[in-house]
Each structure stands twice: as C-alpha cells, then as structure tokens.
Amino acid sequence: MCHLVYHPTTASALLPKLPVINGFLEADLQQYIEMFFHMRSIRRLCLENILPPWLLQSRTLSGAEAVNALRPFYFAVHPDFFGQHPREREINENSLKRLSAYLENLQKPGWKTLKPTQLTFYVRETEQTTLEGPELLNSLGFRAVTFTLHSRDLLNTVLDILNSCNLSTEHIQSMNTNVTSQAPKGAKRTFDRPIKWDKTYYSFTGFRDPEEELEKVQKMETSLISWLDNNEKSAIKKLTDSLPLRGELDRLKEELSHQLLLSDIRWQRSWGVAHRCSQLHSLGRLAQQNLEVLQNIKGCTIIFTDRSGMSALGHVMLGTMDVHHHWTKLFERLPSYFDLRRRLVLLEEQISQLLGGLQVVYLEELQPAMTIEEYYAVLDCFHGRLLQSRVPFHPRSLRGLRMILDSDRYTPSLHELGHFNVPILCDPVSLQWFLFTKAAQARDNMKKKEELKTIENDLIDASVEKFSLQKLYKEPSISSAQMIDCCKRLLQQSLPSLQGMHLCVSHFYAVMQDGDLCIPWNWKS
C-alpha cells in the first residue's frame, strides 16, 4: 500500500530564508516551533482544503455510528440475557460500564492519552458469532473473552472489540462504503490511503508517534508482580476495613444455622460482605418475629438470590428484593415443594432406567439457574420423548456415567469433565448411538477429572501455605486444568504482597470491594 509521507525538511524549503547560526534559525526559531506544535490543527485544515469532504468523512466514526456498529456486540453480551447466570451477568455489567467510560473519553475533544483498558466479557453464541477464534463455547453456550482497548480513535476501537469477540465487521465496511459512494463521479481516488508522517516530524514537534504507541501497547501486558505492586495498598485497606464485617458475617451465619438447624447458608451472587450481613440480619429478624413458620426449613440449604422459591437441587431460595411477607409465604409452601422434589427424584430415576443406568444430574456450576418447577418440566418433557421412542438400552450398560439436560442445543456432546450434555429435543436413536460410542471416553474423562481435582487441591493447599493466604479460591468458570497451571506458576514466584490476602483466580485483574484480589489464571510474569 502506498502512503503519503510528510517530511519537515520538505516543508522548510517553502519557508523564507532566515539568518542561520550554527545551523539553527536565529530570530524565528521559537515561532516555527510553536507552529509545529499546532500542526495537528494545521494538518486537518490542509487536508480539508486538499481532500474532498466525502473522503474525510470516511476516516471518522461518530458516537452514534459507533453505538450502531456495536449492536451485535451488545446483543451478545447484554446482562439481561444472563439472568440465569448471576456471576457472568455481574461481570458483563461492570465491563460495560468501563467500556462506556472509555468510549466517552475517546470522544472528548482535546484528550491526549488514554490508558489501555483490559475488559472481560462473557459472549453468548449468536447468529453473528463465529467459532474461528481460540475461545471455545462452554456447555452453556457462551465463552469468556478478554481484550485490551488501546486504539486512538472510535473506528479502530469498534473493530478491535468486534474482532476480539469473533463478531462480523461487514456492517462497518458497508457503512464506509455508503459514505464513500457519495463521492462525485469524476472524483479520483488517488488519496484514498492512510497518511504516514515521517519519524522526524514527531522528534521535531514532540508529538507522540501513534505507531510507536500502538507497538508499545501491544507489547505491554500487565504482569502479576507489577499489578500487585500497584494495587497492594488499596487491597490491604479494603480488606482491613472489611475484617469487622467478615467476623460479624461468620457469627451471624453460625448462629442462624444453629438456631434454624440449617445445612448451609449460601449466596448465588458475589455480593459484598456488608450486603450479606444485611441479608442475614433480615432473616434473623424474621426468625424473632415468626419462628414457627421457619420450622419447615429444618435441614435445608438457604441460598440468597434474585428470586424466591426452590432451586432445582431443592435448596430454599430467598429473593433479596422480597420483603418478609414473601419469605413467609414461601416457608408456608415448603411442604408442597418437598413433595415436588420427591416426584422430581423419582422422575430422574425413571429416566436413568430407560437410559441403561445413566444418571441424570443437575450441575449447579455448569447449568442455568432453574427453579424446581422449571427443572421438573424439563425432565418431564425429556421423559415423555423417551417413552414415545422406546429405544432399547441394555440395563446398567451406562451405569456410573452421568448426564445433564441442555435446553439450548440439538446435538449431544461429551464434556471434558466426563458427563454427557443431552439436548431435551434430540433424537433418541441418535442419542443411543452417541452414548454407546462415547461411553469409554466418558469414563476416561471422569477418571482424569478426579486426578486433576486431587492435584488441584494439593496445589491450592501448597499455595495457601507458601504465601500465607487467608483464602484461595476460583471462579466456577475456571477449570481444574487452568487452576493447576495458575498455581504451579504461582509457586515458582516470590510474592510477599499476598500474605494474609484473599485471592480469587478468575479471567481478569480486579480488587473487589472487600479487598479480595482477582487475578487471571493465565497471568503474565
């Protein structure tokens, strides 16, 4: 590709002859220096006089056009589509806020530098999503994508976002085509190429070379040690401030579990410690006011989440936006929920018998959050299709293997953890053949899973001991293999800043509101 090259010495030939001392202009040197420091506006003015308007317009992208160009991206990551996946929803919400701020700053006049911003999104499978990238969709139909924004203009930023998420950019090309198509018929396209300024222009004027800046950003990756050094003080302060509340949280949880004879108290979302304490205080007040209605939850696990009801696993869900009246009604209906739970377990056993002993399970960390009514309807639909097909399975031929039901796909698959992903609407005959041909591999995967889990636990214990961590845990989306790789490399480092910290292995760097440190599993040294 050809480029227009501007050289300061070429421009100097057009300047008037002035006295020179030791090779430098004497009288007007300062004037010309100031002139070059305003070269950006002069360059724009010159281009407007030289180039036709339609060509200049094709170089830029307005804020409204950027939003329109990012529609496929917003559709693939919008939090509303992750209602059944609270953690992924929360990550996308936070990343969208940071992206919005970045795009706004990019459009502000007079901005000079913009720090590279690393973002992580969970991207849904859509019609415009291609699978040519390195990220693979998980069993839920979405994948984690991390990219760094560093472009100096809207157009390249939009292209970077779409390309990082393997989304089509054809509609952006058509937008440019629509603009350029407005050119006059007789207009020549000689200058329809980027303008490249000579390196001496940047050394003379003091402006930053965008190509060099881009190369630096591309080479620059946040290292674990540098990130810890920059965020250690902030994390320690937040952690110290949260310690009294953490103690109160443990106390409230233990007291309520003992008073109500609960198996466990958990949270579906990563709420802060203060928020969790508030929720336990609310439950405690209800217990003081109406302890009798809470007798039904003896032996149950309570989960604070976005809606009230019973989960697919039989846990009691308390919606954090609901008032005591709604909770009370739920506790009163628990006997009917328990009855539905017994019927659900029986239905799972019937499906297992029809599939040669293949166990039907619900994996909370891999499947969408479902109420017991929703999960029962899924099981009942699948059971009905099996009864209609009457496909024979040898009794106990698949005993010891597991499967989960998937409502978003049409072909069965084998997960790396050893369980089968079985679509509700798949053809039973095709399913029979798939299960038989993949049974041996499934058993190998399950064995490998157990081996990896043992190694993972050993490495977690070793890391906690070496770095004197208060806690080391991972996000549900982090596999055992990824956690093993992360811990092995951590153990090779000397990281005194981790002493006494809470460390979460995730897909991104972050200091949480209560001082927990999040680091990507594939961190760079």
Side-chain angles (χ1 to χ4, degrees), residues 67-85:
V67 171
N68 187 53
L70 286 173
R71 284 184 181 277
F73 166 75
Y74 290 134
F75 183 73
V77 304
H78 199 284
D80 287 351
F81 292 108
F82 290 82
Q84 294 181 323
H85 308 284

Side-chain angles (χ1 to χ4, degrees), residues 329-352:
K329 291 294 184 181
L330 169 63
F331 295 140
E332 292 173 349
R333 294 198 306 269
L334 282 182
S336 62
Y337 276 119
F338 295 147
D339 179 63
L340 180 59
R341 175 64 183 166
R342 287 189 289 268
R343 290 160 49 199
L344 185 147
V345 172
L346 179 61
L347 191 55
E348 288 179 334
E349 293 176 353
Q350 293 172 349
I351 293 175
S352 178

Side-chain angles (χ1 to χ4, degrees), residues 171-197:
H171 60 294
I172 298 183
Q173 297 172 4
S174 65
M175 288 170 59
N176 277 336
T177 302
N178 291 336
V179 174
T180 56
S181 64
Q182 299 173 7
K185 293 182 179 180
K188 296 182 179 180
R189 303 296 298 274
T190 310
F191 294 95
D192 192 8
R193 53 186 179 270
I195 298 177
K196 184 177 180 180
W197 297 85

Side-chain angles (χ1 to χ4, degrees), residues 233-456:
K233 291 183 179 179
S234 171
I236 291 176
K237 184 180 185 306
K238 290 182 177 181
L239 179 61
T240 304
D241 293 343
S242 71
L243 289 179
L245 281 176
R246 289 180 186 269
E248 182 182 2
L249 179 65
D250 293 338
R251 179 186 62 80
L252 289 171
K253 184 177 178 181
E254 183 178 356
E255 288 180 357
L256 283 172
S257 297
H258 182 266
Q259 179 186 7
L260 303 177
L261 301 177
L262 299 173
S263 296
D264 194 11
I265 299 178
R266 290 157 45 190
W267 287 264
Q268 191 180 62
R269 296 184 63 179
S270 54
W271 284 298
V273 176
H275 198 168
R276 297 187 182 198
C277 285
S278 174
Q279 293 159 359
L280 291 183
H281 277 302
S282 183
L283 180 60
R285 288 193 297 270
L286 179 60
Q288 293 176 353
Q289 299 168 3
N290 194 355
L291 183 59
E292 182 179 354
V293 74
L294 292 172
Q295 298 302 317
N296 290 332
I297 63 174
K298 178 181 177 180
C300 294
T301 292
I302 284 184
I303 300 180
F304 288 97
T305 180
D306 294 323
R307 53 178 173 171
S308 297
M310 180 171 281
S311 73
L313 291 175
H315 302 324
V316 178
M317 303 189 304
L318 298 183
T320 57
M321 301 301 293
D322 293 337
V323 295
H324 283 175
H325 171 72
H326 297 102
W327 289 3
T328 301
K329 291 294 184 181
L330 169 63
F331 295 140
E332 292 173 349
R333 294 198 306 269
L334 282 182
S336 62
Y337 276 119
F338 295 147
D339 179 63
L340 180 59
R341 175 64 183 166
R342 287 189 289 268
R343 290 160 49 199
L344 185 147
V345 172
L346 179 61
L347 191 55
E348 288 179 334
E349 293 176 353
Q350 293 172 349
I351 293 175
S352 178
Q353 292 174 2
L354 292 172
L355 294 178
L358 181 63
Q359 184 184 6
V360 185
V361 296
Y362 177 86
L363 301 179
E364 197 172 17
E365 65 276 12
L366 294 178
Q367 292 182 258
M370 301 174 68
T371 64
I372 192 169
E373 297 96 334
E374 293 169 343
Y375 187 50
Y376 184 88
V378 168
L379 289 172
D380 189 50
C381 175
F382 183 70
H383 180 249
R385 291 178 62 85
L386 289 178
L387 289 178
Q388 290 177 0
S389 65
R390 297 291 182 180
V391 176
F393 282 82
H394 189 280
R396 298 184 297 278
S397 59
L398 299 176
R399 190 174 182 179
L401 299 179
R402 303 194 305 171
M403 60 163 278
I404 64 174
L405 286 173
D406 191 338
S407 58
D408 296 327
R409 296 180 179 274
Y410 293 94
T411 56
S413 62
L414 175 61
H415 195 274
E416 61 178 2
L417 297 180
H419 63 265
F420 291 101
N421 294 320
V422 178
I424 303 172
L425 302 178
C426 72
D427 176 44
V429 177
S430 301
L431 175 63
Q432 180 193 41
W433 175 254
F434 180 82
L435 294 177
F436 283 152
T437 55
K438 296 291 184 179
Q441 184 181 347
R443 297 186 192 278
D444 290 340
N445 287 5
M446 291 182 67
K447 183 179 179 181
K448 182 179 178 181
K449 168 195 168 185
E450 296 301 324
E451 294 173 350
L452 289 176
K453 194 64 181 176
T454 301
I455 298 174
E456 177 186 1

Side-chain angles (χ1 to χ4, degrees), residues 43-287:
R43 180 181 65 180
R44 179 65 184 179
L45 181 60
C46 292
L47 290 176
E48 288 176 351
N49 292 331
I50 296 173
L51 302 179
W54 57 267
L55 182 56
L56 288 172
Q57 291 174 2
S58 67
R59 301 286 179 204
T60 61
L61 199 67
S62 68
E65 289 173 333
V67 171
N68 187 53
L70 286 173
R71 284 184 181 277
F73 166 75
Y74 290 134
F75 183 73
V77 304
H78 199 284
D80 287 351
F81 292 108
F82 290 82
Q84 294 181 323
H85 308 284
R87 189 170 189 86
E88 289 78 5
R89 175 191 178 100
E90 186 173 6
I91 290 174
N92 282 10
E93 286 177 348
N94 293 332
S95 294
L96 281 173
K97 291 177 183 177
R98 296 176 62 199
L99 173 60
S100 177
Y102 186 93
L103 295 177
E104 287 179 7
N105 290 332
L106 203 59
Q107 299 174 65
K108 290 180 180 178
W111 67 271
K112 296 181 179 179
T113 59
L114 207 57
K115 291 183 178 180
T117 301
Q118 188 179 71
L119 299 175
T120 296
F121 286 98
Y122 285 94
V123 182
R124 297 186 307 116
E125 180 181 13
T126 65
E127 292 181 358
Q128 296 195 26
T129 306
T130 64
L131 297 180
E132 298 175 356
E135 306 89 355
L136 296 178
L137 292 168
N138 61 17
S139 60
L140 301 178
F142 55 78
R143 67 192 189 281
V145 176
T146 300
F147 54 86
T148 301
L149 297 178
H150 49 67
S151 300
R152 299 168 62 90
D153 63 88
L154 271 178
L155 177 58
N156 284 315
T157 299
V158 170
L159 291 173
D160 288 343
I161 294 172
L162 295 175
N163 288 328
S164 298
C165 298
N166 296 323
L167 293 169
S168 173
T169 59
E170 292 181 359
H171 60 294
I172 298 183
Q173 297 172 4
S174 65
M175 288 170 59
N176 277 336
T177 302
N178 291 336
V179 174
T180 56
S181 64
Q182 299 173 7
K185 293 182 179 180
K188 296 182 179 180
R189 303 296 298 274
T190 310
F191 294 95
D192 192 8
R193 53 186 179 270
I195 298 177
K196 184 177 180 180
W197 297 85
D198 190 87
K199 298 294 183 183
T200 53
Y201 162 73
Y202 299 104
S203 8
F204 185 78
T205 62
F207 291 142
R208 294 185 177 182
D209 184 351
E211 289 189 356
E212 289 185 0
E213 292 291 308
L214 183 58
E215 289 177 3
K216 289 179 182 179
V217 171
Q218 290 174 339
K219 292 179 181 178
M220 180 191 67
E221 290 191 65
T222 303
S223 69
L224 176 63
I225 295 178
S226 65
W227 186 84
L228 289 175
D229 290 342
N230 293 332
N231 293 275
E232 179 183 5
K233 291 183 179 179
S234 171
I236 291 176
K237 184 180 185 306
K238 290 182 177 181
L239 179 61
T240 304
D241 293 343
S242 71
L243 289 179
L245 281 176
R246 289 180 186 269
E248 182 182 2
L249 179 65
D250 293 338
R251 179 186 62 80
L252 289 171
K253 184 177 178 181
E254 183 178 356
E255 288 180 357
L256 283 172
S257 297
H258 182 266
Q259 179 186 7
L260 303 177
L261 301 177
L262 299 173
S263 296
D264 194 11
I265 299 178
R266 290 157 45 190
W267 287 264
Q268 191 180 62
R269 296 184 63 179
S270 54
W271 284 298
V273 176
H275 198 168
R276 297 187 182 198
C277 285
S278 174
Q279 293 159 359
L280 291 183
H281 277 302
S282 183
L283 180 60
R285 288 193 297 270
L286 179 60

